[in-house]
Amino acid sequence: MSEPEFRPGLADVPVAESAISFIDGKRARLEYRGIAVETLARESCFEETAWLLLQGDLPTQRQLAKFDDHLRHRRRIKYKLNDLIKCLPETGHPMDALQASVAAMGMFYPSRDVTNQQSNWDSVVRLVAKMPTVVAAFARLRHGDEAIPPRDDLDHAANFYYMLFEREPSPAIRKVLDACLILHAEHTMNASTFSGRVTGSTLANPYTVVSSAIGTLTGPLHGGANEEVLDMLEEIGSIDHVKPWLEHAVANKKKIMGFGHRVYKVKDPRATVLQELAENVFAETGRPKQYELAMELERVAAGILGPKGIYPNVDYYSGIVYKALGIPRDLFTPVFAIARVAGWLSHWLEQLKHNRIFRPEQIYVGKHDVAYVPLERRP
Ligand code: ACO
């Protein structure tokens, strides 16, 4: 039998059959359970979108009301978890704090029996409900401020904003934050989802599954890109530097952060709808300088990187929006995580129905039949 072909990065290799989301990278189309993501970002809310992903269909009015109520009443975290978060180094990255806290959360809610569907669903609701509380708690506790308890009279996005800033968001800010959660909730077989699936395939508990996925999301080639976009825009500095900076970067084979995607060969549809909703926020806050700079870079890059199918992805603009909302830079990826948990858990539930442990092949390129030389005979 011939050796199987090695595809670095598993590019184009299917690793699952999934009915959760779909991307057409040439037509700029992303669907959750068949519904265009732009429609969801404009018309839906995160709670409804999470149900859609997790359960497969839009909820009925009663289902949504019940799910929303369950989420609202599971936002609080154990005081011991709060104490654990207090003990984490304040200089540490919030993604590491989130990963550690989610792994620890699993110790409070034993959920080892993943054949128990009720327990699985309880874990899903808990993880979706509590992750924003963990992120907001670390964001405040690291500065010596008290964590702000969640409010159950606010929806998911507004409550998260409230726990960060101790004030309610304006309608435009609530809408754009909610849309960001929707736009980041799911994205087919990306690295963190695959990571969660690999961990889930061992029948590990859902908290461990999500903490694996959080770890995978931290890297700058995945969720960490939105932080680096702001660094890059700072480095460029002003509109007249854009063209020479880009030409120099491309000539030196430097990656332009927030550009490019394994699947999209046109502009990411999420970036387009995010820009549209962000304009309503900028009408209140003023258009940030970085946004003007980013649009100019996108314009110039269309001529240079466009022919290679490299266009802005969602994280090109999300960091600029979060910054305009006052969200600290190192919380950008945790905001991504509190959205993507809905996707990770949808894949986990889907996979459990026909689970088989992941055990891929490798192509061995090492030595054979090497003699063992006793230590005393070695130099
Ligand atoms: N800037 C400049 N050139 C790029 C970029 C970019 N952002 N992305 C890809 N290219 C070029 C590569 O240099 C390479 O060129 P070559 O064929 O001449 O060597 C070619 O396009 C293919 O690039 P790969 O890195 O092999 O593409 P891959 O599909 O493996 O990577 C990735 C996709 C990781 C997203 C890549 O485009 C990248 O690093 N982008 C910047 C980081 C980023 O924005 N990540 C966020 C991803 S979206 C998300 O997680 C929500």
Side-chain angles (χ1 to χ4, degrees):
M1 216 174 77
S2 64
E3 285 280 342
E5 187 197 351
F6 170 49
R7 308 290 289 267
L10 291 181
D12 302 322
V13 178
V15 295
E17 287 186 331
S18 179
I20 300 168
S21 62
F22 168 80
I23 302 175
D24 182 336
K26 293 198 189 86
R27 281 175 50 232
R29 178 92 180 158
L30 168 62
E31 295 171 350
Y32 293 171
R33 302 286 187 184
I35 302 179
V37 75
E38 297 94 316
T39 311
L40 292 167
R42 290 188 192 109
E43 314 279 336
S44 182
C45 60
F46 176 73
E47 294 86 327
E48 180 180 60
T49 300
W51 175 281
L52 170 71
L53 291 167
L54 290 158
Q55 296 279 352
D57 290 301
L58 286 171
T60 63
Q61 294 184 23
R62 264 193 67 190
Q63 284 169 332
L64 182 57
K66 199 170 154 196
F67 181 51
D68 184 30
D69 184 65
H70 285 170
L71 287 173
R72 285 172 193 248
H73 290 97
R74 281 174 183 73
R75 288 177 181 159
R76 281 166 203 276
I77 54 174
K78 301 268 189 196
Y79 81 88
K80 282 189 172 179
L81 189 56
N82 218 50
D83 287 351
L84 182 142
I85 297 170
K86 265 185 208 157
C87 295
L88 296 171
E90 61 270 21
T91 49
H93 197 284
M95 278 299 274
D96 298 329
L98 181 62
Q99 186 182 25
S101 306
V102 166
M105 208 190 282
M107 298 171 76
F108 292 100
Y109 306 102
S111 48
R112 296 180 72 92
D113 178 11
V114 295
T115 62
N116 182 331
Q117 292 190 15
Q118 185 56 50
S119 144
N120 287 353
W121 183 248
D122 290 344
S123 301
V124 165
V125 174
R126 242 183 244 123
L127 279 158
V128 175
K130 293 185 197 302
M131 274 176 50
T133 316
V134 169
V135 171
F138 182 72
R140 293 189 58 92
L141 291 168
R142 65 177 167 172
H143 297 306
D145 297 325
E146 274 299 326
I148 298 170
R151 270 176 50 183
D152 59 15
D153 60 326
L154 297 175
D155 68 19
H156 201 72
N159 172 61
F160 177 56
Y161 184 93
Y162 172 78
M163 290 188 296
L164 286 178
F165 302 114
E166 211 170 3
R167 60 173 188 273
E168 291 178 34
S170 71
I173 290 179
R174 193 212 71 77
K175 177 66 199 166
V176 84
L177 190 53
D178 192 36
C180 284
L181 296 180
I182 294 172
L183 295 171
H184 285 87
E186 161 62 7
H187 209 228
T188 73
M189 199 54 64
N190 54 87
S192 56
T193 299
F194 181 48
S195 171
R197 274 192 177 254
V198 172
T199 305
S201 80
T202 69
L203 302 185
N205 79 65
Y207 302 89
T208 307
V209 169
V210 171
S211 75
S212 302
I214 293 170
T216 307
L217 186 63
T218 57
L221 295 187
H222 193 7
N226 51 16
E227 279 187 54
E228 306 222 356
V229 170
L230 290 187
D231 294 337
M232 180 182 76
L233 294 173
E234 249 159 46
E235 190 189 313
I236 298 174
S238 67
I239 298 248
D240 46 316
H241 290 164
V242 167
K243 196 159 183 277
W245 183 91
L246 183 65
E247 284 168 351
H248 182 263
V250 172
N252 288 285
K253 292 218 158 279
K254 195 172 159 188
K255 284 261 173 87
I256 315 303
M257 284 296 136
F259 274 71
H261 199 274
R262 177 64 62 76
V263 186
Y264 295 117
K265 298 304 161 205
V266 291
K267 183 169 173 179
D268 184 335
R270 299 170 299 173
T272 310
V273 69
L274 184 58
Q275 278 181 279
E276 176 192 307
L277 295 167
E279 286 294 352
N280 300 331
V281 173
F282 298 156
E284 285 176 12
T285 61
R287 258 194 180 186
K289 185 176 144 248
Q290 283 102 338
Y291 186 60
E292 306 278 358
L293 205 56
M295 286 201 301
E296 176 62 7
L297 181 59
E298 178 182 351
R299 194 187 65 77
V300 177
I304 300 176
L305 296 173
K308 289 177 79 178
I310 299 167
Y311 288 95
N313 58 56
V314 65
D315 283 329
Y316 185 58
Y317 287 111
S318 66
I320 298 169
V321 172
Y322 296 148
K323 183 160 188 273
L325 302 192
I327 296 177
R329 191 177 294 199
D330 61 2
L331 289 197
F332 296 173
T333 318
V335 175
F336 188 159
I338 66 176
R340 185 56 59 85
V341 68
W344 293 329
L345 290 167
S346 304
H347 281 266
W348 174 64
L349 291 175
E350 182 181 67
Q351 181 175 273
L352 278 178
K353 290 184 189 143
H354 306 282
N355 188 61
R356 191 168 187 207
I357 189 169
F358 272 102
R359 202 332 178 169
E361 233 345 313
Q362 63 165 17
I363 295 171
Y364 180 67
V365 295
K367 303 171 187 171
H368 288 289
D369 300 324
V370 178
Y372 175 78
V373 181
L375 185 57
E376 60 276 15
R377 279 204 243 135
R378 279 177 258 155

